[in-house]
Amino acid sequence: MRAVIEAAREAPLVPVAILGGLMLVAILADLIAPHDPTLPVKGANVFDPPFWMEGGRTTTLLGTDFQGRDVLSRLIHGARVSLIVGLMGTLVAGGIGTAMGILSGYVGRWVDQVIMRVTDAWLALPALVFAIFLATMVGPSMWNIVFVLGAVYWTRYARVIRGEVLTLREREFVKLAEIAGASKLRVIKRHILPNVMNTATVLASLTIGVVIIAEASLSFLGVGVPPPQPAWGLMLAEARPTLMAGQWWLTVFPGLCILLIVLATQLFGDWLRVRLDPQLRNL
Amino acid sequence: MWQFIVRRLLYSIVTLLILSATIFVIVRLTGDPVSLLAEAGARPEDLERIHRQWGLDRSWPVQYVSFLQNIVTGELGKSFNYRLPVSELYFQRLPNSLTLGLVATLISILVGVPAGIISAVKVNTWWDTIAKGVALLGLSIPGFWLGLVLILVFSVWLRWLPTSGAGDWRHVVMPSLALGWYFAASMLRLTRSSMLEVLGSEYIKLARLKGLPDVVVIAMHAFKNALIPVFTLAGVNMVVMVNAAVIIEVIFAWPGIGRLLYEGIFNRDFPLVQGVVVMAGFMIVGINLIVDILYAFIDPRIRLTR
Amino acid sequence: MRRSRCVAAALMLIVLASTAASLSSPAGAAARGKLVLAWHAGLASRWLDPQEHDGTATPDNFFTAIHDGLIKNQGTALFDHPALAEKFTIAPDAKSATFTLRKGIKFHNGEPVTPQDVKFSYENYRGAKADVFKKKTERVEIVDDRTIRFHFKEPFLDFAILFGTANVAAPGWVVPEKYYKQVGADGFKQKPVGAGPYRLVRHEPGVKLEMEAFDGYYRPVNVKQLVMTSVPEGATRVAMLERGEADIIYSVPGELVSRVQKLPGVTLAPVLSGSWFLEFPGFQDPKSPFRDKRVREAVSLAIDRRAMNQAESAGFGKVSGNWINNDVQYALEWPEIERNVERAKQLLREAGYPNGFDVDWVTPLPAWYSRGERLIGQLREVGIRARMQTMERGVFFQRLQGGIKEWPGVQIIFHGIRIAGSWSFWYEAHVKCGGFNSRDRLCIKELDAKFEQYERSINPAERKKLAEEIQRAILENHYLVPVFRHAFVNAIGPRVAAQKWQDVFPTITTGYAYPWEDIKLKEQ
C-alpha cells in the first residue's frame, strides 16, 4: 500500500495528466466533438475565425478551415489519429527493433551478422527518404503510415537492445539458467526480455515525438495520412499557405497539440529514465 | 589491430551492398517512371521508346549489375530527367548543400552544446528548464512550418532577408536556422546527458575532491570526455543535412542535394535517387568506420568485442 | 473520283502569310531590364530539347523561349501562327505540305536556319507521336534554300495541328543539325542552341535558367534578361512576388488568392486550364450501379458545379457542359448542366436505389483532394455515399494505365486533363478501348467504331460530323460527367507592363506566359 502511494507521489503529474487527457479525448472523440470532422459545418463559412475574434461564432469555437469544417472537432478527432500513429508507430518500431536486437545479441553468429548489417544499411538511409518510398509503395492510409514509420525507425532499437543483450548474456543469472537447461526461448522470455524492457520503454518515449513529426513531414510531401482524416500533422501541412493569408488558427492549434504531446512524452521519458535505470541517460 | 580494421572494412562493404540493393528494389517497387509522362495523352509507342532509351526494358538483375558498375566507375548512372551523370549533378549541388549543412551544424552546435552544458551543470534549476524548453520546441516544430514562419517574418514583414534561392550570406540565414534548430535540440539532449554522466563519474568526483575549482573541472575534464559522442552525432547529423534536407530545401528553393533527391523521388528518377542515397550511405558508413577505428585505438578492449 | 473532288472542294488551299515579319526589324538590341519567372515544379533538362518532347503540356514553357517552330500555337491561333515559316501551304489532297522560311533567320550560334536543319529536325524527331509522323511521311524534299516540302503516303489531315501545337508534339521545332550532332542529344540538353527569342546563357540543371534576348530574332524582344527559377513551394512563390524577387509566378495556392489580389500593382492571371470530369471505371459490368444511365445522370445532377468552381478556383474557372476543352478542333459546345437534387433522387428511385447506394472509392487526380472531398459532400446529398481514396501521383497514373483490374468494385475517378490540338486526342487517350489512359475501363463499342471511321476519313465535313456525334453520345449517355474547367491561377508583379492579365498570358492554348518576346517591363 505504501509503495503504491509512494509511486503515485513520484509519478510525474503533468505528463501523465496530459497523456491521460489526450487519450480520453481520443477515445471519446465521437461524443465530445461538436461536429463531424470531415464535413463542412452547416451555416458556417470557410475560414471563420475563433469565437473571440470578430466574425467568430460559438458554434465553431476554434474557427473553420478551408472547407468550412470545424477546427475544434478536427483537433479532437485528430487526437485519435495522431495518438494511433504516434503510439502504434512507436510500438511497431519498438517491437521489430527489440525482437531483432534480442535475436541478434542472444543468438549471435550469422544471425547477428545479418541483422546488424541490415540495421547498419538501413540506418544509413535517410529516414525521411526511406519513409517516402515505403509510403508511396503501400499507398496512403493511417495504418499504412503506422507500418511505414515502424519499418523505418526500428533500426535504432535494434542497435541499442543488442548492446544490452550482449552484456546481459554474460550475467550470472543468464548463465545459470542456461546451465540449468532452460531453452533459449525460455531464457529470452524469462531473463532477457524483462531486462531490456526498461531501455525499450525509454527509447519509445523519445520516439513518439519523432514519429509524429515524421507523419507531419510525410503529409507535407503528400504521402502522409490521407485527407479527409484529421491528423494533426496533416492539418498543419494542409493549412500551411494560410499562415501567410492570415488564418493563423489553422496552423497554430494543431501545432500546439503536437507540442503538447511531444512535451508530455519527453517529460514522461525523462522521468522513466531516471527512475528505471540511471545508466540510460545517454540515450 | 589490422585484423580489426580489415573486418570493419568488410562489414562496411557488406553494409553498402545491402544499402544499394535496398534502394534499388524500393525505387522500382514504387512504380514505372514513364507512366508519369502520361498526362496529356502520350501513347504506348512513345512510352516503349522511353523505356528502351532509359534501359528500363532490361531485367532487374541486369539493371542492378549495371548500377553497381556505375557506382564503381563513380558515374552513378545517368539521370533520366537531366540526362547528366548523377555524380556530375551531385557535385554541382554539393557546394550549396555543404554550405547549408555546415552552417546548420554550426548553429546546432553553438546552440545545443553550450545550452546542454549549462543545463547539465545547473541541473534542475530554471536554467535547465529553459534549455529543456528550447529542446522541446526544436523537437516538436516541423521544419516546413518553421521555414514558412521565418519567411513570413523576416522576408515579408521585416523585409530583411531574401525569401529563397542561393546567393550571398543572407540567403543562407533562414534555411540553416530552420534546419539547425531541429538538430540543436538533439545536440542539447545528448550534451546534457553525456555531461551528467561524466560529472557523476568517480574520476570527476576525485578531481573535485582534490579541490580543483568547478570551472576547471568542467572545462578540462568533463567537457572533453563528454564531447566524443556529441561530435560523432554532429558528424552523422551533418551528413543527413547535406544529403537529405529535403523539406527545408523545398521550402526555401535551396539548390542543394535534398531538392535534387525530392524531385528524383517524385519523378521516379531511379538513377538519381539511387546515386544520391548511395553517396549519403558512403559518407555515413565512412564516418562510422572512422569512429570505430578511432575508438579501437583509444580503447583496445573494443577490438575484442563485437 | 467523287470522293477526291469532295476533298478538293472542302480542303481549300490554305495560305497564311505573315504580315508582321517584313515590317519588324531585329530589335533584340533594344531590349532592357530583367524578368524573373518563379516556376512551380522541377526543371528537367530534357524539356529543353524539342526533339524528345514527352507529349505533356510542360516543356513548351521552356522551348517557346529558347527554340522556335515553323508554325505554332500563339495568341488565339491554335496551331497555325507563322513563326520560322513566313507562309505554309497544305496541298488540296492533304498529301503534302510546303513551308517557306523567313529570310535571314539565325540560330543563337549565328548559323542560318536552313531547310536542311528543318529536314534533320523532322526526321530525327524521337518525341511524342513520332511514330505517327514516321508512318505517314514518305519523304522530305528541300525545294530551294528557303522552301521545304513534306510528302505523305496518304492524306494526313491532322498534320498541321500535330505539327504546330507546341504542347502536343514538336517535329516542327527546329534545332541546328551541325551543333546537335556535334554535342549529342544529351549534351544538347545541357547547352541547347535554338532559333527562339532567348538564348540560354547559364543553366543550373533543375534550379535555374538564365537567358538573354537574342539579337538575331525576327521579332522585337522587349526584356533583356529572362530568368526562370524553380520554386516548388507555393507560399514561397507568393512571398517572392511580394518582395519583388519574382515578376511572374505560376500556380498561386487557393488560400493565397485573395492576399495576392490585394497586393499593390499585382495582377492575378487566372488562366482557364484543364477540364475536370468523372469516369465510372467498368460501368458496363452488370453488377455496377453505374450501368444504369439514370444513375449516371443522377450523379451528374448531384454536382454543384458553380459551388465547385467558386471554392476550387475562386470562381475563375468555367462551368462548361463538355469535358473537352473548347480550344481544340471540333470541340462541341454543350450547355451548362444545372444542379437538380430532386430530379437526381427521383432518377435514383426509378433505377431502384430509393435509399441511394455506396461507392467504394472516389479517386481524384493527386493532389487535388479538396475537390474530391467537395464532390463526396455533394453526392451525399442525393444519397450516394462515398469515401475518398488518395494516392501518390505516380501510383495514380500507373493504376490508370493498368486498366479495369486496378479499379475493382464501385468506383469513380475524378480526373482533370488538358490536351491541345484536336478533340480526337482526348477521345483517343481517355475513352477509346485500349487508349493510353482509358485502357479497358470504358470500351463503348459503337463509339469506338465511329472513331475508327473518323480516323480513316479524309473528308473534313464527315470528320466534323462524326466528332460531334461521338461527343454528343458521350454527354447524352453520361459516359463521362463533366464537372468544370478549372483555372491555373498565376500572378504578375508590378514591374511588368500589363493593362490586363491577358497581355501577359495571351495564348489561349496554354497556361504559360508565352510568347516571351512580347512581355514588356514598365519604364523606370
Side-chain angles (χ1 to χ4, degrees):
Chain A
M1 192 59 212
R2 249 181 102 180
V4 173
I5 294 169
E6 195 78 355
R9 193 188 296 161
E10 257 187 59
L13 198 63
V14 176
V16 168
I18 296 175
L19 282 177
L22 284 177
M23 274 184 210
L24 209 65
V25 167
I27 292 166
L28 300 178
D30 293 319
L31 295 176
I32 52 178
H35 302 280
D36 186 324
T38 59
L39 286 180
V41 177
K42 280 248 152 60
N45 303 311
V46 294
F47 299 133
D48 276 341
F51 74 92
W52 64 83
M53 288 170 66
E54 207 188 312
R57 50 176 97 206
T58 45
T59 46
T60 52
L61 287 175
L62 297 184
T64 59
D65 70 359
F66 64 100
Q67 296 258 32
R69 294 174 300 204
D70 179 35
V71 171
L72 180 62
S73 306
R74 284 180 70 73
L75 287 174
I76 290 172
H77 280 267
R80 183 181 287 178
V81 180
S82 289
L83 276 179
I84 288 179
V85 171
L87 294 178
M88 296 308 281
T90 305
L91 205 67
V92 172
I96 302 175
T98 307
M100 290 295 172
I102 291 176
L103 220 59
S104 176
Y106 189 68
V107 178
R109 281 181 300 193
W110 66 269
V111 177
D112 183 28
Q113 282 296 329
V114 171
I115 293 176
M116 279 330 319
R117 294 295 79 76
V118 171
T119 307
D120 282 351
W122 287 20
L123 271 173
L125 276 167
L128 192 62
V129 174
F130 198 14
I132 296 170
F133 273 112
L134 291 181
T136 311
M137 245 160 68
V138 296
S141 83
M142 184 181 72
W143 289 105
N144 282 352
I145 296 301
V146 167
F147 156 77
V148 163
L149 294 172
V152 169
Y153 288 107
W154 68 265
T155 45
R156 297 156 187 232
Y157 288 81
R159 266 264 185 88
V160 177
I161 299 288
R162 173 179 173 273
E164 287 273 289
V165 174
L166 282 182
T167 42
L168 278 173
R169 207 171 61 173
E170 305 302 321
R171 296 275 288 276
E172 275 182 9
F173 61 93
V174 175
K175 292 269 182 215
L176 279 175
E178 278 169 352
I179 290 166
S183 69
K184 281 193 169 174
L185 202 67
R186 190 176 160 77
V187 172
I188 288 176
K189 251 183 12 205
R190 288 293 301 269
H191 301 290
I192 306 276
L193 195 59
N195 281 297
V196 297
M197 279 317 280
N198 286 351
T199 312
T201 316
V202 172
L203 264 178
S205 71
L206 297 178
T207 312
I208 292 175
V210 174
V211 165
I212 287 178
I213 296 296
E215 185 268 313
S217 302
L218 287 180
S219 289
F220 168 77
L221 296 167
V223 287
V225 173
Q229 279 198 75
W232 294 338
L234 174 69
M235 291 172 72
L236 201 55
E238 262 185 344
R240 67 187 185 276
T242 62
L243 200 63
M244 201 176 275
Q247 292 95 5
W248 54 270
W249 57 94
L250 291 180
T251 53
V252 167
F253 291 133
L256 283 177
C257 288
I258 292 178
L259 191 76
L260 206 61
I261 192 169
V262 176
L263 171 81
T265 51
Q266 295 275 319
L267 288 178
F268 193 68
D270 281 348
W271 172 79
L272 260 181
R273 194 159 50 166
V274 174
R275 188 181 156 74
L276 293 179
D277 192 348
Q279 279 184 338
L280 289 172
R281 283 187 303 210
N282 237 340
L283 293 174
Chain B
M1 187 67 204
W2 278 112
Q3 214 189 342
F4 173 80
I5 293 179
V6 169
R7 187 153 39 103
R8 286 271 112 189
L9 209 61
L10 272 178
Y11 284 178
S12 301
I13 292 170
V14 174
T15 301
L16 284 173
L17 272 176
I18 296 175
L19 175 82
S20 67
T22 308
I23 192 73
F24 176 88
V25 171
I26 62 174
V27 293
R28 275 164 184 74
L29 286 181
T30 54
D32 181 357
V34 181
S35 61
L36 276 166
L37 304 179
E39 279 178 81
R43 297 128 34 82
E45 292 82 355
D46 299 333
L47 300 195
E48 265 164 46
R49 175 181 51 76
I50 297 173
H51 271 130
R52 264 197 313 281
Q53 191 191 340
W54 289 358
L56 292 167
D57 52 342
R58 301 170 300 169
S59 71
W60 279 23
V62 175
Q63 290 186 44
Y64 183 63
V65 169
S66 93
F67 169 43
L68 289 183
Q69 280 169 346
N70 285 328
I71 295 177
V72 174
T73 59
E75 202 197 35
L76 297 171
K78 210 172 232 184
S79 151
F80 294 160
N81 284 311
Y82 302 105
R83 306 307 299 158
L84 268 181
V86 173
S87 55
E88 202 178 323
L89 281 166
Y90 186 88
F91 288 109
Q92 271 175 7
R93 302 284 183 99
L94 189 61
N96 289 328
S97 276
L98 275 178
T99 310
L100 180 61
L102 270 172
V103 177
T105 306
L106 221 62
I107 290 174
S108 75
I109 291 175
L110 287 181
V111 174
V113 173
I117 292 172
I118 292 172
S119 95
V121 174
K122 310 256 177 196
V123 69
N124 294 334
T125 62
W126 59 272
W127 283 104
D128 192 16
T129 312
I130 291 175
K132 276 193 201 156
V134 171
L136 179 75
L137 279 177
L139 286 176
S140 54
I141 295 180
F144 64 84
W145 195 76
L146 180 60
L148 287 174
V149 170
L150 289 176
I151 290 178
L152 186 63
V153 174
F154 292 104
S155 298
V156 177
W157 289 350
L158 299 174
R159 307 203 150 243
W160 288 351
L161 296 167
T163 55
S164 58
D168 54 22
W169 63 272
R170 284 172 305 168
H171 289 87
V172 191
V173 177
M174 291 193 298
S176 54
L177 254 178
L179 187 59
W181 184 256
Y182 180 82
F183 290 94
S186 64
M187 298 296 283
L188 187 150
R189 288 192 70 90
L190 188 64
T191 311
R192 179 176 181 274
S193 57
S194 181
M195 280 292 284
L196 279 177
E197 193 185 0
V198 175
L199 284 173
S201 67
E202 299 295 319
Y203 145 84
I204 293 291
K205 283 181 189 155
L206 199 70
R208 279 191 164 144
L209 276 179
K210 281 199 309 198
L212 289 175
D214 260 12
V215 180
V216 176
V217 173
I218 291 161
M220 300 299 291
H221 299 284
F223 188 56
K224 205 177 70 192
N225 286 308
L227 281 195
I228 297 172
V230 172
F231 278 98
T232 311
L233 178 72
V236 172
N237 280 351
M238 192 173 130
V239 175
V240 174
M241 286 192 248
V242 168
N243 289 293
V246 176
I247 288 178
I248 295 300
E249 291 190 4
V250 167
I251 289 283
F252 291 100
W254 183 260
I257 294 160
R259 219 170 108 210
L260 196 63
L261 191 57
Y262 164 82
E263 274 144 26
I265 290 171
F266 289 104
N267 291 319
R268 309 278 191 278
D269 196 333
F270 297 167
L272 183 60
V273 176
Q274 289 169 180
V276 173
V277 167
V278 165
M279 287 300 283
F282 260 110
M283 290 187 199
I284 290 179
V285 172
I287 285 186
N288 285 333
L289 181 67
I290 293 168
V291 169
D292 276 354
I293 293 174
L294 283 181
Y295 269 128
F297 264 113
I298 298 165
D299 183 354
R301 279 173 306 172
I302 290 175
R303 283 177 234 167
L304 301 175
T305 58
R306 283 195 257 190
Chain C
M1 184 62 206
R2 216 182 128 191
R3 188 172 182 113
S4 74
R5 190 174 298 155
C6 171
V7 173
L11 254 187
M12 288 292 290
L13 196 75
I14 306 166
V15 179
L16 284 154
S18 156
T19 47
S22 50
L23 301 173
S24 68
S25 59
R32 55 174 189 85
K34 177 174 162 184
L35 182 97
V36 178
L37 166 77
W39 169 253
H40 58 298
L43 286 172
S45 306
R46 61 182 165 82
W47 294 333
L48 305 181
D49 183 2
Q51 292 276 290
E52 288 176 22
H53 192 309
D54 60 22
T56 71
T58 310
D60 67 333
N61 180 68
F62 306 97
F63 58 68
T64 47
I66 297 170
H67 300 286
D68 208 350
L70 295 182
I71 52 171
K72 61 186 177 185
N73 53 319
Q74 181 166 312
T76 51
L78 299 183
F79 59 88
D80 53 5
H81 176 85
L84 291 179
E86 65 182 19
K87 64 174 199 236
F88 79 99
T89 326
I90 306 274
D93 61 0
K95 285 187 74 174
S96 73
T98 311
F99 293 78
T100 310
L101 296 181
R102 284 170 200 275
K103 260 190 216 140
I105 41 176
K106 285 190 297 246
F107 288 111
H108 300 157
N109 60 5
E111 305 265 338
V113 179
T114 65
Q116 178 54 38
D117 293 310
V118 177
K119 182 174 155 72
F120 168 78
S121 303
Y122 187 83
E123 289 177 340
N124 190 47
Y125 176 69
R126 309 173 296 288
K129 299 203 158 62
D131 58 315
V132 178
F133 290 99
K134 287 244 151 56
K135 203 177 80 196
K136 299 215 172 179
T137 305
E138 190 181 81
R139 69 198 160 90
V140 182
E141 174 198 3
I142 296 175
V143 181
D144 60 41
D145 63 349
R146 278 177 57 207
T147 315
I148 185 158
R149 186 170 296 135
F150 300 91
H151 295 273
F152 310 121
K153 291 174 192 154
E154 54 188 276
F156 190 178
L157 272 88
D158 285 337
F159 172 75
I161 285 185
L162 281 172
F163 194 75
T165 314
N167 38 23
V168 172
W173 288 70
V174 187
V175 298
E177 177 180 12
K178 222 170 86 193
Y179 178 76
Y180 198 93
K181 282 182 172 161
Q182 182 196 328
V183 295
D186 290 346
F188 188 80
K189 290 169 187 61
Q190 313 312 320
K191 287 198 175 85
V193 165
Y198 282 92
R199 63 189 179 84
L200 190 61
V201 288
R202 208 159 146 263
H203 181 198
E204 289 178 53
V207 177
K208 202 191 269 182
L209 296 166
E210 286 180 25
M211 294 174 274
E212 229 173 67
F214 173 44
D215 293 342
Y217 198 57
Y218 58 86
R219 292 186 69 204
V221 184
N222 289 298
V223 179
K224 180 88 178 157
Q225 283 174 293
L226 175 62
V227 178
M228 297 182 181
T229 177
S230 156
V231 186
E233 174 62 27
T236 309
R237 288 194 295 278
V238 172
M240 286 179 80
L241 187 75
E242 288 200 26
R243 271 181 54 90
E245 289 173 24
D247 300 295
I248 299 176
I249 62 169
Y250 286 164
S251 191
V252 176
E255 293 90 340
L256 291 176
V257 165
S258 58
R259 181 183 176 98
V260 171
Q261 265 177 320
K262 285 184 212 126
L263 294 174
V266 168
T267 314
L268 209 61
V271 185
L272 272 186
S273 186
S275 278
W276 289 73
F277 57 92
L278 308 184
E279 185 203 304
F280 311 105
F283 74 95
Q284 308 208 58
D285 186 315
K287 289 194 292 290
S288 172
F290 296 125
R291 190 184 161 84
D292 194 320
K293 179 184 154 188
R294 289 168 296 192
V295 175
R296 300 194 299 269
E297 188 176 355
V299 169
S300 180
L301 291 172
I303 302 170
D304 190 342
R305 292 171 172 82
R306 291 213 179 138
M308 187 73 88
N309 179 27
Q310 198 57 45
E312 289 292 321
S313 282
F316 292 122
K318 197 175 142 207
V319 179
S320 59
N322 199 345
W323 67 286
I324 294 177
N325 281 2
N326 63 0
D327 56 16
V328 297
Q329 192 188 31
Y330 301 146
L332 185 67
E333 288 294 340
W334 198 258
E336 182 183 330
I337 303 159
E338 289 285 342
R339 184 176 212 217
N340 191 338
V341 173
E342 282 319 306
R343 171 98 184 108
K345 283 182 176 161
Q346 191 197 331
L347 281 167
L348 284 179
R349 273 196 299 276
E350 286 170 15
Y353 300 100
N355 301 316
F357 62 93
D358 291 324
V359 174
D360 294 324
W361 298 113
V362 166
T363 312
L365 171 71
W368 305 93
Y369 303 131
S370 68
R371 60 192 60 174
E373 290 174 45
R374 280 179 224 286
L375 175 73
I376 288 170
Q378 293 171 3
L379 291 182
R380 197 179 298 201
E381 286 178 48
V382 301
I384 300 173
R385 296 166 297 271
R387 287 178 300 165
M388 184 166 70
Q389 174 170 249
T390 63
M391 44 183 95
E392 196 268 335
R393 199 174 171 82
V395 177
F396 175 80
F397 281 110
Q398 184 135 20
R399 289 189 51 189
L400 212 53
Q401 291 152 34
I404 186 71
K405 65 176 191 299
E406 301 279 356
W407 308 88
V410 184
Q411 302 220 28
I412 297 176
I413 301 173
F414 188 8
H415 204 3
I417 52 169
R418 167 161 215 172
I419 307 176
S422 162
W423 81 281
S424 65
F425 306 154
W426 297 63
Y427 184 89
E428 195 183 15
H430 289 275
V431 184
K432 201 177 93 170
C433 202
F436 182 69
N437 280 317
S438 48
R439 298 291 153 146
D440 54 352
R441 289 196 310 278
L442 299 177
C443 289
I444 308 154
K445 284 205 188 71
E446 61 276 20
L447 294 189
D448 282 351
K450 270 193 183 157
F451 188 69
E452 206 170 301
Q453 211 181 330
Y454 170 92
E455 293 272 83
R456 273 200 316 269
S457 168
I458 50 166
N459 176 344
E462 185 191 16
R463 274 161 56 106
K464 185 165 193 292
K465 186 172 142 278
L466 283 166
E468 292 184 350
E469 273 175 31
I470 294 172
Q471 290 177 74
R472 187 170 296 117
I474 293 173
L475 293 166
E476 282 172 351
N477 290 299
H478 311 280
Y479 291 138
L480 295 175
V481 171
V483 178
F484 77 126
R485 225 184 128 177
H486 85 159
F488 181 61
V489 182
N490 308 318
I492 305 158
R495 279 196 297 268
V496 180
Q499 300 291 319
K500 51 188 191 310
W501 66 262
Q502 285 88 345
D503 294 346
V504 180
F505 291 85
T507 306
I508 60 164
T509 37
T510 182
Y512 305 139
Y514 60 77
W516 298 100
E517 65 270 21
D518 286 355
I519 298 177
K520 288 194 184 88
L521 294 176
K522 284 183 189 142
E523 300 288 335
Q524 290 302 318

